[in-house]
Amino acid sequence: MNPIDRLAEAFERFPGIGPRQAGRFVQYLLRQNQSYRSTLADSIKKLSAETAQCNKCFRWFVKSDAKRDFCDICGDARRDASLLFVVEKDADIENVEKSGYRGLYFVLSGTIPLASEEPQKFIRLEKLLVRANHRNHRGDASMKLQEIILGLSATAEGDHTRLILQEKLKNAGPKISSLGRGLSTGSELEYADPDTIASAFDSRN
Amino acid sequence: MNPIDRLAEAFERFPGIGPRQAGRFVQYLLRQNQSYRSTLADSIKKLSAETAQCNKCFRWFVKSDAKRDFCDICGDARRDASLLFVVEKDADIENVEKSGYRGLYFVLSGTIPLASEEPQKFIRLEKLLVRANHRNHRGDASMKLQEIILGLSATAEGDHTRLILQEKLKNAGPKISSLGRGLSTGSELEYADPDTIASAFDSRN
Amino acid sequence: MNPIDRLAEAFERFPGIGPRQAGRFVQYLLRQNQSYRSTLADSIKKLSAETAQCNKCFRWFVKSDAKRDFCDICGDARRDASLLFVVEKDADIENVEKSGYRGLYFVLSGTIPLASEEPQKFIRLEKLLVRANHRNHRGDASMKLQEIILGLSATAEGDHTRLILQEKLKNAGPKISSLGRGLSTGSELEYADPDTIASAFDSRN
Amino acid sequence: MNPIDRLAEAFERFPGIGPRQAGRFVQYLLRQNQSYRSTLADSIKKLSAETAQCNKCFRWFVKSDAKRDFCDICGDARRDASLLFVVEKDADIENVEKSGYRGLYFVLSGTIPLASEEPQKFIRLEKLLVRANHRNHRGDASMKLQEIILGLSATAEGDHTRLILQEKLKNAGPKISSLGRGLSTGSELEYADPDTIASAFDSRN
């Protein structure tokens, strides 16, 4: 395949990008000068050298000169180590941080498909169990873990994953909780689904 | 104005209808036969004769032969009269019913605009206060009222209205509660706003 | 069925209206006062008395006191009677008028479904043939008819209808033409379909 | 700036990509293995080595081993050299090819902003004038040039650019034509704008 089509095909694998937009990306790059393209190519290449995956929460973080195994959050002694917020992906963490949460995180990297027989193939299940079961021997904060909050999407697959995790974690030390359901900002009663209304009613305050 | 434009203008006042669709409604009616139009016109006219507004919850209901002042729900002795669910409009009730709620209702008929000085101009405030303050002398179920649930939209105007109602009702007998906020069905953490996540975290279970 | 549901069902038959919005229409009407509803009902009823279908172009028009068989346009001697613009529905005429066209019109009232065996069941075919074949004995302008412009939508069904009309009309006196295809305002070459580009190329000027 | 943000920022410059999706691209790349990232980086870098801009139509093309100055189309002696189709960007050419056009092309690379004083800053104007004025001394097909088709978008900026080009080219040898306006595939008369209808009427056939 020729280099233009090959590059377009690579961009097509990017999340949410179709053939037409992939083609437009290539055209855009062709119009840029070579130095711009080199810079882009280099920053893609350098990702491996300059980033690392946190050994505790498994999110990606930028390596400082002083090589570390932990990301800023996991390495921050002031965070509340009694709380572990389980999220689907790195991007969720930004949002949860904005909400004022100050505990620790764990990135599942995905959800479990409804049909799936082998959860561990889709999410970081073993690592989560180790963490939950206090068998983490880095002698770190996780020893103080009191509660695991399952921060999964309120979707069919998210619920499916939540139920499996609740089952797998039920004998672990920490309390297992799930995010409350209810009216999310902007929603109107007329359009809310009955489940959401029922949850909003149960968690009324 | 000519009858075609006059009718189009009337339809334009319908919720969510713009000039173009209003015109299409008129064209549609012109294409129907006269008997269809008469039937439609009659059912519009007969609304007043065949429907009534409930004296207790103020929703609209269909009058049965036995003339009643109350709608089915307010007239149903098996409903839990200790709970009063305050909604913005009749349409909300259908959804709340689907959620399994079995208490009573009160229709505010609207929300209070952010700027507004005179809430009572926009919602059925006085009637709600009477109901909340047990001064309802029809000697009915409302005497047993224990809790008022403010079922307002999770919007700026809904919150504004909720805050005003909480203030106005704070000295009334019943406990005043609001629907819980959280992830509504279908929402993903990555796109949820921080307030929603904070509420979902607070109401975790 | 109760009057509220019955009215909602009637509104559901309106073009582009689903159950939810139909219900909202009824709620809207319930909130209005009786005089408003009566006015609306009356203008719907009066449609038959106050409007008529033009005997020549078959569009709907408002009857003036002086009872007429023709609409303003068909009755206007200054219009160019050598041109007949065939449109699908009344609403199209407004748009064509804005384009500066000053000939006459004929409303087909619909298009012919792709599968259909009997065109005449879907459009005003016979009447159009009469008009095209100069057999219109009202001794009117149509005697001067020189060209029939088929103003059909550029859709599969529109094309299907156009082809059938071209066949049916091929032996009629007037020249039969169709609207030119090309780039319509706002379209970009990158997103235009090949047929449109080919037509735009053929009709380049 | 850290490498993750830097890369996200680079992706934000891609056409149609906002901050959120740019971030998702980076996350996607982080999840891929290093070899995938290297391949992507290399194909971006190699663009310069493996592609070239055609000396005649200025579109980008893939260099074959035999180094050429012209793209496939400009180098194809069977193409009709009497026609020059001026397009805004490379992507337009694919669509025009699908329409069956078999002449030559010229890529303007953009349109002229409405406000702009200096057209040449935004499009390849000088090069087009040279080509139009037969001063192209590569002794090639362009000597036979008879007609220049301005294939610009039917947008305000496209029209603005077309008018300027018509003025600039009016004394050049070849005839200057523009794509015909009319109903584009899928458009309905009711929603078409008056200009489109007027053009469709003028180019009726």
Side-chain angles (χ1 to χ4, degrees):
Chain A
M1 184 168 27
N2 76 54
I4 288 182
D5 297 345
R6 195 193 322 122
L7 186 53
E9 206 168 77
F11 284 133
E12 255 191 82
R13 291 177 49 185
F14 276 32
I17 298 305
R20 172 161 270 159
Q21 203 171 4
R24 224 171 287 128
F25 286 176
V26 178
Q27 287 297 329
Y28 170 76
L29 287 178
L30 283 167
R31 284 196 303 275
Q32 308 309 307
N33 58 42
Q34 171 59 0
S35 78
Y36 168 82
R37 287 196 295 261
S38 302
T39 320
L40 174 61
D42 290 339
S43 25
I44 291 175
K45 262 202 176 123
K46 275 186 285 177
L47 272 183
S48 340
E50 295 179 322
T51 62
Q53 194 163 25
C54 176
N55 277 338
K56 281 189 59 189
C57 69
F58 300 97
R59 72 195 284 218
W60 289 93
F61 70 101
V62 178
K63 274 190 269 181
S64 50
D65 311 336
K67 201 176 161 327
R68 293 183 291 103
D69 294 331
F70 304 154
C71 71
D72 296 350
I73 293 178
C74 291
D76 180 349
R78 291 158 306 180
R79 305 284 303 203
D80 178 352
S82 67
L83 296 175
L84 185 67
F85 204 120
V86 175
V87 296
E88 293 172 13
K89 49 193 177 326
D90 292 26
D92 298 343
I93 293 181
E94 285 174 45
N95 253 353
V96 179
E97 283 292 289
K98 291 202 196 98
S99 78
Y101 172 77
R102 288 298 170 256
L104 299 175
Y105 294 96
F106 183 91
V107 180
L108 273 184
S109 83
T111 49
I112 303 167
L114 297 181
S116 151
E117 297 300 304
E118 306 155 279
Q120 64 284 359
K121 277 180 51 179
F122 299 93
I123 63 170
R124 213 166 269 128
L125 184 54
E126 287 314 318
K127 293 265 201 298
L128 177 59
L129 292 177
V130 170
R131 178 94 177 247
N133 291 302
H134 292 209
R135 285 204 234 82
N136 186 328
H137 291 321
R138 290 206 191 65
D140 59 44
S142 71
M143 305 307 290
K144 318 202 200 71
L145 186 52
Q146 302 299 322
E147 175 178 359
I148 295 178
I149 303 108
L150 301 178
L152 292 138
S153 303
T155 59
E157 214 168 275
D159 286 338
H160 176 63
T161 307
R162 182 169 50 74
L163 294 173
I164 292 177
L165 289 181
Q166 282 168 339
E167 173 61 23
K168 299 275 185 189
L169 291 165
K170 70 174 185 303
N171 298 326
K175 171 187 175 222
I176 308 301
S177 64
S178 301
L179 290 179
R181 297 292 177 89
L183 296 181
S184 48
T185 304
S187 50
E188 302 177 28
L189 220 52
E190 181 178 0
Y191 305 109
D193 63 300
D195 289 353
T196 297
I197 295 179
S199 321
F201 179 78
D202 295 339
S203 63
R204 68 191 186 277
N205 46 47
Chain B
M1 188 169 18
N2 77 53
I4 288 182
D5 297 344
R6 195 193 320 123
L7 186 52
E9 206 167 76
F11 283 133
E12 254 192 81
R13 291 176 49 185
F14 277 33
I17 297 306
R20 172 162 270 159
Q21 202 170 5
R24 223 172 285 127
F25 286 176
V26 179
Q27 288 297 329
Y28 169 76
L29 288 177
L30 284 166
R31 284 197 302 276
Q32 308 308 307
N33 58 42
Q34 172 58 1
S35 79
Y36 168 82
R37 286 195 296 260
S38 302
T39 321
L40 173 62
D42 292 339
S43 25
I44 291 175
K45 263 203 174 119
K46 274 188 284 175
L47 272 183
S48 341
E50 295 179 324
T51 63
Q53 194 164 24
C54 176
N55 277 339
K56 281 189 59 189
C57 69
F58 299 98
R59 73 195 284 215
W60 288 94
F61 69 100
V62 178
K63 275 189 264 179
S64 50
D65 312 337
K67 202 176 162 328
R68 292 184 291 102
D69 295 330
F70 304 155
C71 69
D72 296 350
I73 293 179
C74 291
D76 179 349
R78 291 158 306 179
R79 305 285 301 204
D80 178 351
S82 68
L83 296 175
L84 186 67
F85 205 118
V86 175
V87 296
E88 292 172 14
K89 51 192 173 326
D90 292 27
D92 298 342
I93 293 181
E94 285 174 46
N95 252 354
V96 179
E97 283 292 289
K98 291 202 198 97
S99 78
Y101 172 78
R102 288 297 170 258
L104 299 176
Y105 294 96
F106 183 92
V107 179
L108 273 184
S109 84
T111 50
I112 304 167
L114 297 181
S116 152
E117 297 300 305
E118 305 153 281
Q120 63 284 359
K121 277 180 53 181
F122 300 93
I123 63 170
R124 211 166 271 126
L125 184 53
E126 287 313 319
K127 293 264 201 302
L128 177 59
L129 292 176
V130 170
R131 179 94 178 246
N133 291 302
H134 291 212
R135 285 203 233 81
N136 186 328
H137 293 321
R138 289 206 193 66
D140 60 43
S142 70
M143 305 307 290
K144 317 203 200 72
L145 186 53
Q146 301 300 321
E147 175 178 358
I148 296 177
I149 303 108
L150 302 177
L152 291 137
S153 302
T155 60
E157 214 167 275
D159 286 338
H160 176 63
T161 307
R162 183 171 48 76
L163 294 174
I164 291 177
L165 290 181
Q166 282 170 339
E167 172 62 23
K168 299 274 184 189
L169 291 165
K170 70 175 185 301
N171 299 325
K175 172 184 174 223
I176 309 301
S177 64
S178 301
L179 290 180
R181 298 290 177 88
L183 295 182
S184 49
T185 305
S187 50
E188 302 177 28
L189 220 54
E190 181 178 358
Y191 305 110
D193 63 300
D195 289 354
T196 297
I197 295 179
S199 321
F201 179 78
D202 295 340
S203 62
R204 67 192 186 276
N205 45 49
Chain C
M1 186 168 25
N2 78 54
I4 288 182
D5 296 345
R6 195 193 320 124
L7 186 53
E9 206 168 77
F11 283 134
E12 254 192 81
R13 291 177 49 185
F14 277 32
I17 298 306
R20 172 162 269 158
Q21 203 171 3
R24 224 170 287 130
F25 286 176
V26 179
Q27 288 298 329
Y28 169 77
L29 287 178
L30 284 167
R31 284 197 302 275
Q32 308 309 307
N33 58 42
Q34 171 59 1
S35 78
Y36 168 83
R37 286 195 296 260
S38 302
T39 320
L40 174 61
D42 291 339
S43 26
I44 291 174
K45 263 204 176 120
K46 274 186 285 176
L47 272 183
S48 340
E50 294 179 323
T51 63
Q53 195 163 24
C54 176
N55 277 339
K56 282 189 60 189
C57 70
F58 299 98
R59 72 195 286 216
W60 289 93
F61 69 101
V62 178
K63 273 189 266 180
S64 49
D65 312 336
K67 202 177 163 327
R68 293 183 291 103
D69 294 331
F70 304 155
C71 71
D72 296 351
I73 293 178
C74 291
D76 180 349
R78 291 158 306 180
R79 306 284 303 203
D80 178 352
S82 68
L83 296 174
L84 185 67
F85 204 119
V86 175
V87 296
E88 292 172 13
K89 51 192 174 329
D90 292 26
D92 298 343
I93 293 180
E94 285 174 45
N95 252 353
V96 178
E97 283 291 290
K98 292 203 196 96
S99 79
Y101 172 78
R102 288 298 169 256
L104 299 176
Y105 295 96
F106 184 91
V107 180
L108 273 184
S109 83
T111 50
I112 304 167
L114 296 181
S116 151
E117 297 299 305
E118 306 154 280
Q120 63 283 0
K121 277 180 53 181
F122 300 93
I123 62 170
R124 212 166 270 127
L125 183 54
E126 286 314 319
K127 293 268 202 300
L128 177 58
L129 292 176
V130 170
R131 178 94 178 246
N133 290 303
H134 292 211
R135 285 203 233 82
N136 186 328
H137 292 321
R138 290 207 191 65
D140 59 45
S142 69
M143 306 306 292
K144 316 203 199 73
L145 186 53
Q146 301 300 323
E147 175 178 359
I148 296 177
I149 303 107
L150 302 177
L152 292 136
S153 303
T155 60
E157 213 168 278
D159 286 337
H160 176 63
T161 307
R162 182 170 49 76
L163 294 174
I164 292 177
L165 289 181
Q166 282 169 339
E167 173 61 23
K168 299 274 184 189
L169 291 165
K170 70 174 186 299
N171 299 324
K175 172 187 176 217
I176 309 301
S177 65
S178 301
L179 290 179
R181 296 291 176 88
L183 296 181
S184 49
T185 305
S187 50
E188 302 177 29
L189 219 53
E190 182 178 359
Y191 305 109
D193 64 300
D195 289 354
T196 297
I197 296 180
S199 320
F201 179 78
D202 295 340
S203 63
R204 68 191 186 276
N205 45 48
Chain D
M1 185 168 25
N2 77 53
I4 288 182
D5 297 344
R6 195 191 323 122
L7 186 53
E9 206 168 76
F11 283 133
E12 255 192 81
R13 291 177 49 186
F14 276 33
I17 297 306
R20 171 161 270 157
Q21 203 171 3
R24 223 170 287 128
F25 286 176
V26 179
Q27 289 297 329
Y28 169 77
L29 287 178
L30 284 167
R31 284 196 302 276
Q32 309 308 308
N33 58 43
Q34 172 58 2
S35 79
Y36 168 83
R37 285 196 296 261
S38 303
T39 320
L40 175 61
D42 290 339
S43 22
I44 291 175
K45 264 203 175 120
K46 274 186 285 176
L47 272 183
S48 340
E50 294 179 323
T51 62
Q53 194 165 25
C54 176
N55 278 339
K56 280 188 61 188
C57 70
F58 300 98
R59 71 195 285 217
W60 288 93
F61 69 101
V62 178
K63 273 189 268 180
S64 49
D65 312 335
K67 198 172 164 332
R68 292 183 291 103
D69 295 331
F70 304 154
C71 70
D72 296 350
I73 294 178
C74 292
D76 180 349
R78 291 158 306 179
R79 304 285 302 205
D80 178 352
S82 67
L83 296 175
L84 185 67
F85 204 118
V86 175
V87 296
E88 293 172 13
K89 50 193 176 323
D90 292 26
D92 299 342
I93 293 180
E94 286 174 44
N95 253 353
V96 179
E97 283 292 289
K98 292 201 197 98
S99 77
Y101 173 78
R102 288 298 171 255
L104 299 175
Y105 294 96
F106 183 92
V107 179
L108 273 184
S109 84
T111 49
I112 304 167
L114 297 181
S116 151
E117 298 299 306
E118 305 154 281
Q120 64 284 0
K121 278 180 51 181
F122 300 93
I123 62 171
R124 211 167 270 126
L125 184 53
E126 286 314 318
K127 293 264 201 300
L128 177 59
L129 293 177
V130 170
R131 178 94 177 247
N133 290 303
H134 292 211
R135 286 204 232 81
N136 186 327
H137 292 320
R138 290 206 192 66
D140 58 44
S142 71
M143 305 308 290
K144 317 201 201 74
L145 185 53
Q146 302 300 322
E147 175 178 358
I148 296 177
I149 302 108
L150 301 178
L152 292 137
S153 302
T155 60
E157 213 168 277
D159 286 338
H160 176 63
T161 307
R162 182 169 49 75
L163 293 174
I164 292 177
L165 290 180
Q166 283 169 339
E167 172 61 24
K168 299 274 185 189
L169 291 165
K170 70 174 186 301
N171 299 326
K175 171 184 175 222
I176 309 303
S177 64
S178 301
L179 290 179
R181 298 291 176 88
L183 296 181
S184 48
T185 305
S187 51
E188 301 177 29
L189 219 52
E190 182 178 358
Y191 305 109
D193 64 299
D195 288 354
T196 298
I197 295 179
S199 321
F201 179 79
D202 295 339
S203 63
R204 68 192 185 276
N205 45 47

